[in-house]
Amino acid sequence: MIRRVAVIGRLREFFAALSAYAEAYEAFVLGKKPVPRRLEFAHSNDLLSALWTGLRAALAVFLVSSFWILTNWVHGSAGAILAAVATARLATMAPTVPIAVGATLIFALATIPAFIIVEVLLPLADGFGMFALAVAPMLFLCALLMAHKKTMLIGYLSALLFASAGQFLNRMNYDPVGMLNTCIAAVVAAATSMVLFAVLAPATPEAARRRFVRTARKAVARIAARRRPIGLIEFETAMTEALAQLQSQLRSDKPEDIAAFEAAIALVGVGRELIRIRDDWASARLELEIAELAGNRRAQWFDRARRKAQEAAARSLAELREDLIGGAQARSAARRLGAFATIRDGLEPGSILLSGERRKGAHSDAA
């Protein structure tokens, strides 16, 4: 009965969102100027992941610089700089190890056309017209590759190597050995980052889940904060970014990954409903208790939070059955019933993800 009544509220919210989308689309098509307003956006920043990224970059500089000093490599400075930049840049791309492997191969293969254009064709060119005729095909090819999702990485890294190794100036000093050393430095930098990503805190599905759990627990804890509680838009933007990062490390053919992603989506729904009923004075205290329980790590605290949500939904249903309440009170009770029903249903899979415990019989519907 609670689920059936809650569907009414969810349908009302769905049609309201659909109507708002239609109005926004119409305003965009007609070129109407939107009303400016301030929105609180948030990012799912994770301190532990940032520390690992900084540590990898520092180790990349240390390893390449040590090789530079021991071998007296002429272009060792370029290798050290590129290693730090590549390690920090690739940390924002997923999956990191395959991309680092691809970057190493792309830098090695792109050296051949870059060398032919820069060191063979350009010395024969005279004037800007011949220069553009020699360089433009390579740039257009890289841009064409970047325009497609499957070849975007190839085009981006090839253009990066071509521009860095070419070092185009008004007056060019052609140095084939120097260019090859620069390309070798790029290959060494990508290979170093590949080794560091594979060895030092590798980006596995388990690590992605732990990162999402840290972000979710921090966001849920801010719902019940006494000072500067998190808003709905701020919560949704942070959790959506965390969901995108989690999805990039999961596989759609593994049941446990599907279950983890569904649990993450359920947690987003729980937080959204907790924020929506926070302004309801009749439910504020209970909402804070549920948020504090959900922010805990132990599974039994999630059971208590679910029981509280179930009891609150039952009380809201009892209010709807009374004939003494008015229309406004009935709508408020229906909203609370839908919110607490969503919280109760979302805490079941979400508790498995947040607590890190596997319960007997818990599995994904899609699995």
Side-chain angles (χ1 to χ4, degrees), residues 46-366:
D46 185 64
L47 180 59
L48 186 59
S49 300
L51 289 175
W52 282 120
T53 301
L55 182 59
R56 291 193 198 97
L59 284 176
V61 173
F62 174 77
L63 293 175
V64 178
S65 298
S66 300
F67 178 78
W68 169 24
I69 295 173
L70 293 175
T71 60
N72 196 21
W73 185 17
V74 178
H75 286 70
S77 58
I81 295 173
L82 290 175
V85 173
T87 306
R89 179 66 181 90
L90 293 178
T92 62
M93 307 171 71
T96 51
V97 175
I99 288 180
V101 174
T104 305
L105 296 177
I106 292 169
F107 283 153
L109 296 177
T111 301
I112 300 174
F115 182 84
I116 294 174
I117 294 175
V118 176
E119 300 298 337
V120 177
L121 296 181
L122 284 184
L124 303 176
D126 185 15
F128 181 77
M130 296 298 295
F131 171 82
L133 189 62
V135 173
M138 181 66 176
L139 296 179
F140 284 131
L141 177 61
C142 293
L144 181 62
L145 293 174
M146 291 174 65
H148 299 277
K149 185 177 181 180
K150 293 183 178 180
T151 58
M152 179 186 65
L153 186 66
I154 300 176
Y156 171 71
L157 294 179
S158 299
L160 185 64
L161 179 72
F162 181 64
S164 300
Q167 297 180 358
F168 301 111
L169 299 172
N170 291 334
R171 295 181 178 275
M172 297 286 292
N173 294 320
Y174 298 103
D175 182 11
V177 177
M179 180 186 174
L180 288 178
N181 272 283
T182 302
C183 295
I184 292 173
V187 174
V188 170
T192 303
S193 64
M194 174 189 66
V195 173
L196 290 175
F197 279 117
V199 175
L200 191 62
T204 60
E206 291 73 17
R209 292 173 196 166
R210 290 193 296 269
R211 175 173 180 170
F212 178 83
V213 165
R214 290 192 296 269
T215 302
R217 187 175 291 116
K218 182 171 65 174
V220 172
R222 285 193 58 193
I223 295 176
R226 299 299 189 273
R227 297 180 57 186
R228 295 188 62 187
I230 191 171
L232 181 59
I233 296 178
E234 188 178 0
F235 174 83
E236 288 184 338
T237 52
M239 294 296 289
T240 301
E241 185 178 354
L243 272 176
Q245 294 172 354
L246 175 65
Q247 186 270 338
S248 64
Q249 298 294 339
L250 301 182
R251 295 178 55 182
S252 59
D253 58 342
K254 297 182 66 175
E256 56 272 20
D257 289 351
I258 297 175
F261 192 68
E262 290 179 350
I265 294 176
L267 283 175
V268 176
V270 170
R272 183 187 298 115
E273 297 301 333
L274 285 172
I275 294 174
R276 285 178 176 176
I277 64 174
R278 184 172 55 192
D279 298 331
D280 188 351
W281 293 104
S283 308
R285 183 175 180 180
L286 180 61
E287 176 266 340
L288 293 177
E289 293 179 1
I290 294 176
E292 290 174 354
L293 291 173
N296 200 285
R297 190 178 182 82
R298 298 180 181 178
Q300 55 266 30
W301 290 80
F302 291 101
D303 294 330
R304 291 177 57 186
R306 279 197 305 274
R307 287 196 298 270
K308 285 183 175 293
Q310 171 66 23
E311 294 170 359
R315 285 196 298 270
S316 299
L317 180 60
E319 292 180 10
L320 285 174
R321 287 173 172 171
E322 295 179 359
D323 296 332
L324 300 178
I325 62 175
Q329 292 175 325
R331 286 192 295 270
S332 178
R335 284 196 299 269
R336 291 198 301 270
L337 188 148
F340 285 118
T342 302
I343 293 169
R344 179 200 61 186
D345 296 339
L347 283 176
E348 175 64 35
S351 62
I352 303 173
L353 183 63
L354 285 181
S355 62
E357 300 181 8
R358 292 189 178 273
R359 299 187 179 183
K360 188 176 182 180
H363 61 279
S364 169
D365 294 335

Side-chain angles (χ1 to χ4, degrees), residues 7-67:
V7 167
I8 300 174
R10 294 182 183 179
L11 284 175
R12 184 183 295 111
E13 293 179 357
F14 169 74
F15 288 126
L18 186 61
S19 176
Y21 167 77
E23 293 176 358
Y25 181 78
E26 182 182 7
F28 175 77
V29 172
L30 297 178
K32 296 181 180 179
K33 187 177 181 180
V35 179
R37 57 172 179 162
R38 184 179 180 183
L39 298 177
E40 294 292 338
F41 290 98
H43 296 282
S44 59
N45 297 324
D46 185 64
L47 180 59
L48 186 59
S49 300
L51 289 175
W52 282 120
T53 301
L55 182 59
R56 291 193 198 97
L59 284 176
V61 173
F62 174 77
L63 293 175
V64 178
S65 298
S66 300
F67 178 78

